[in-house]
Amino acid sequence: MSRRILGNARDNGQWCLLIRNLHNYLLVSSVTEELVRKRAEHNNCEISTLEEISLHQQDIERIEHLDKWCKDLKILYLQSNLIPKIENVSRLKKLEYLNLALNNVTTIENLQGCERLQKLDLTVNFVGDLLSIESLQSNLHLQEMFLTGNPCTDYDGYREFVIATLPQLQWLDGKEISKSERIIAIQKLPHLREKILEQQTAYEVKRALEREMEEEKARRRAEKQPGFDGRWYTDVNAHTSIDDDEVTGYTPESRISTHRHIAEKRSETGQKRTEPQQKKKERLLVTEDGRILNINEGKYDFSLKDSNDDNQFELDLECPRFMDTSLIDCVVEPTHVRVKLKGKIFQLVLPEEVSPDSSSVKRSQTTGHLLITMPKVREVLKPAKVVNKRLPMQETRDVDEVKMNYLEVDPSLAAKKPDIYNVVNSNSSSNKTHNGSTSQSSEQCSTNSSNDTFVDNPEVPPLI
C-alpha cells in the first residue's frame, strides 16, 4: 500500500506531506488486550466475563477485538476518542448501552446485531447521513438516543423524521416523545424523507469542499516546515514561521490533525521531563559537626513536660485533627525525637538521654494530639515516704479493752458489785443518807404543798 501511495507523489512537497501522514499513521492508537485488561480491574482483569468497560480518552481510532474478547458486554464507553466508524460490535448480543460521544462518526451503521441495545449516545459527532438511522429499525429495544451536536440536527424536520422512522424510541436528545408528537410525525414521514434527502445531499457537497480545503492546508503546512525549500536537505539556521492564525473549521480531519499535533507536543515535553533534573535539596537535620537541630516545618504547637515523679519526658504535639494516622511517622532516639507529619519534619532535642525501647506513642481520638512518653535512662533517687499506719477501728477497740483490763488493781474486787450509794465521801456536808434524802424530799413536798397553786396528784409517784 505504501508503494502505491508514494508512487502517486509528483513533487517534493507531496513527498514531504506523505511522509508526514505516514508518521501520523504510526501514532494511531488501537484497542489492545493489555489496555482492556487494565480497564477490567473491577473484574479481576478477566475479559471473557466482562460486562462493563470504559475506554474513554484513549485516542482510539478503530473499534476492534471487543466482539471477540468480551462477548458478555452490556455497557461500553468509548467517548472522547477519534473513532470515525461504528464497526465490530454486531456480535455483542447483550450490549444495552453504547456511548460514542465526542468521536468522528459520520454514519449510523453496523448495529443491527445488537439485539438488546436500549441506549445509544452519539453526542457531538459528525453524523450528516440522517437517513442512516433507518438501520436502527431492527433494534426493537432501543428506547433512548442522543444526536445533539451533529450536523444532522440542523436539518429542517430532523426530530419529526427520527420519531417517525423509529417508533420504538421513547426519548430523543433528552426529551420525552409524546403520543401526539409521534402521530403527527408519522403522518408527515413521506414528505419529510424527501426534504431530509435534499438537505443531506447539500451537506455532502459541503463536506467534499471541506476535505479538499483540509488537504490543501496540510500540504501548505508541510511546505512551510523549517528548512524545506523543495530540496532534500535541512538548513538548521533557517527559520520560517508557520501561519498559526490560519482559520480551521470543525471537521473530522481538523480534529484528528489537532489531536496529533497535541500528541507530538506531549511527546516532546515528555522527553524533556525524562532528562536528569536536579534533586530537591533535602532538609538538613544534623550539622556537619554532628549537632542535632531543632526543626518544626509545619509550625505545630507542642509542649515538653519533665515528669520527675515518673522519671520521664512527655511530649504533647498538636497534630492536625483530621490527618490520617498513616501519614504520621515517629522515631525516638536517645538524644532527640523526630516526627514526620505528611512529609513535614518535627525534630526536638531532649535535655537528657532517654530509652527508645521503653518509649510509647499514643494519639487522641478526639483532639488528634500525639502524646510521646520517653522514660529517662538515669534513675532519680528519691527519699522514702513516711507512711502513717493507722490501725483499723476494731483493732483500736481491742487495744483499749486490753488497757482497761490492766487498770484493775485487785482482781478480787471485780466480783463485787459497786456501791452506788456511797460514791461520794461521807465527810462531805452535802452528802445525805438514803433516809435523809427521803425526808428532805418529803419536806420539799410539804413546802410545795403549802403553795396556793400546788395541786397534789396522788397518782404521781414521789421523788426519790
Side-chain angles (χ1 to χ4, degrees):
M1 180 182 70
S2 59
R3 291 182 180 179
R4 180 177 59 83
I5 294 175
L6 296 176
N8 295 330
R10 296 181 180 179
D11 54 13
N12 292 336
Q14 290 182 351
W15 273 88
C16 182
L17 176 61
L18 290 173
I19 292 174
R20 183 178 179 85
N21 291 337
L22 181 61
H23 172 69
N24 291 337
Y25 178 78
L26 297 176
L27 295 176
V28 175
S29 298
S30 58
V31 179
T32 61
E33 184 177 355
E34 180 182 1
L35 175 62
V36 176
R37 290 192 183 277
K38 182 180 179 181
R39 291 288 180 167
E41 294 179 352
H42 60 282
N43 198 43
N44 297 325
C45 297
E46 296 181 5
I47 61 177
S48 59
T49 59
L50 195 63
E51 295 184 355
E52 178 180 350
I53 188 170
S54 179
L55 298 173
H56 64 284
Q57 296 181 347
Q58 296 296 318
D59 304 335
I60 299 173
E61 294 195 12
R62 185 182 180 187
I63 306 174
E64 54 186 352
H65 306 307
L66 293 177
D67 56 340
K68 300 177 182 177
W69 297 340
C70 315
K71 294 184 177 181
D72 293 336
L73 270 182
K74 293 182 179 180
I75 301 175
L76 177 57
Y77 295 99
L78 288 168
Q79 67 269 28
S80 300
N81 284 293
L82 300 170
I83 300 171
K85 184 179 181 180
I86 304 175
E87 57 184 345
N88 298 324
V89 293
S90 58
R91 296 182 182 180
L92 300 176
K93 304 296 182 180
K94 299 180 181 180
L95 188 65
E96 298 177 359
Y97 176 33
L98 177 60
N99 191 333
L100 283 167
L102 292 168
N103 277 279
N104 293 341
V105 177
T106 58
T107 304
I108 302 174
E109 56 185 346
N110 301 325
L111 291 174
Q112 296 87 343
C114 302
E115 300 173 354
R116 298 186 184 180
L117 187 63
Q118 299 178 10
K119 184 176 179 180
L120 177 62
D121 193 346
L122 291 169
T123 304
V124 190
N125 274 270
F126 298 93
V127 178
D129 187 2
L130 188 57
L131 297 179
S132 62
I133 65 169
E134 295 177 349
S135 62
L136 298 175
Q137 291 178 346
S138 59
N139 300 97
L140 302 178
H141 298 283
L142 184 63
Q143 298 180 359
E144 189 173 2
M145 185 168 64
F146 291 89
L147 288 172
T148 305
N150 286 272
C152 62
T153 58
D154 297 332
Y155 295 171
D156 188 15
Y158 146 75
R159 182 175 175 84
E160 295 175 338
F161 177 75
V162 175
I163 294 173
T165 305
L166 303 175
Q168 71 272 28
L169 271 185
Q170 302 296 326
W171 294 79
L172 179 60
D173 297 333
K175 184 178 179 181
E176 189 175 4
I177 302 172
S178 61
K179 293 182 179 180
S180 59
E181 188 179 12
R182 191 185 306 278
I183 293 172
I184 296 173
I186 293 174
Q187 293 175 352
K188 296 181 179 180
L189 181 59
H191 173 69
L192 286 173
R193 196 177 191 284
E194 296 178 359
K195 192 174 183 180
I196 293 295
L197 182 59
E198 294 176 0
Q199 299 178 74
Q200 182 174 311
T201 304
Y203 173 75
E204 291 176 356
V205 174
K206 178 183 176 182
R207 279 289 299 127
L209 294 175
E210 288 177 350
R211 281 192 293 268
E212 292 180 2
M213 291 177 62
E214 290 295 334
E215 292 176 0
E216 181 65 20
K217 290 177 183 178
R219 186 184 63 80
R220 284 192 275 111
R221 290 193 194 100
E223 292 178 353
K224 291 181 180 180
Q225 290 296 322
F228 179 75
D229 58 355
R231 292 173 293 176
W232 290 106
Y233 68 89
T234 301
D235 185 3
V236 295
N237 296 321
H239 298 281
T240 58
S241 61
I242 301 176
D243 189 7
D244 294 332
D245 297 332
E246 188 177 7
V247 179
T248 304
Y250 185 68
T251 61
E253 293 79 14
S254 64
R255 188 165 180 263
I256 293 176
S257 177
T258 303
H259 164 75
R260 289 174 176 169
H261 176 71
I262 295 173
E264 291 176 0
K265 292 294 182 182
R266 287 178 180 174
S267 62
E268 292 177 0
T269 55
Q271 292 176 358
K272 293 180 180 178
R273 290 178 181 176
T274 54
E275 295 178 357
Q277 298 179 356
Q278 293 182 355
K279 293 184 179 179
K280 186 179 179 180
K281 188 176 180 181
E282 296 182 357
R283 182 76 184 189
L284 183 63
L285 303 178
V286 183
T287 59
E288 295 180 357
D289 55 353
R291 185 170 58 89
I292 302 172
L293 301 177
N294 290 324
I295 302 171
N296 191 358
E297 289 184 339
K299 298 181 179 180
Y300 301 113
D301 295 333
F302 69 95
S303 63
L304 182 64
K305 180 181 177 182
D306 187 356
S307 179
N308 292 325
D309 296 338
D310 298 330
N311 193 30
Q312 63 184 8
F313 290 112
E314 295 180 358
L315 175 62
D316 186 1
L317 183 60
E318 297 185 8
C319 303
R321 181 178 179 182
F322 300 103
M323 179 182 289
D324 193 348
T325 308
S326 61
L327 301 176
I328 301 175
D329 185 19
C330 180
V331 178
V332 178
E333 299 291 344
T335 57
H336 64 279
V337 58
R338 183 187 304 115
V339 183
K340 185 178 290 185
L341 300 97
K342 202 176 179 180
K344 296 181 180 179
I345 297 176
F346 173 85
Q347 183 170 276
L348 182 65
V349 180
L350 301 175
E352 295 184 30
E353 188 176 354
V354 298
S355 175
D357 297 335
S358 303
S359 302
S360 62
V361 183
K362 298 180 181 179
R363 191 180 184 196
S364 174
Q365 295 182 354
T366 55
T367 62
H369 286 206
L370 202 67
L371 180 62
I372 306 174
T373 305
M374 298 166 285
K376 299 178 183 178
V377 174
R378 185 180 64 179
E379 296 183 359
V380 178
L381 298 177
K382 301 177 183 178
K385 294 183 179 180
V386 178
V387 181
N388 295 327
K389 295 184 178 180
R390 294 185 178 180
L391 296 175
M393 185 63 67
Q394 186 66 28
E395 295 181 3
T396 307
R397 289 179 180 177
D398 296 341
V399 172
D400 293 339
E401 291 177 358
V402 172
K403 290 181 180 179
M404 289 174 64
N405 293 333
Y406 284 105
L407 289 176
E408 294 293 339
V409 177
D410 188 2
S412 62
L413 298 177
K416 297 182 179 181
K417 296 181 180 181
D419 186 5
I420 62 175
Y421 298 103
N422 297 322
V423 176
V424 185
N425 295 330
S426 59
N427 296 330
S428 175
S429 59
S430 59
N431 186 20
K432 301 290 182 180
T433 61
H434 179 66
N435 297 330
S437 61
T438 305
S439 61
Q440 184 180 3
S441 61
S442 61
E443 291 177 358
Q444 290 178 357
C445 291
S446 63
T447 53
N448 292 337
S449 63
S450 62
N451 192 359
D452 297 338
T453 60
F454 175 76
V455 178
D456 187 11
N457 190 354
E459 296 181 359
V460 179
L463 296 175
I464 298 173

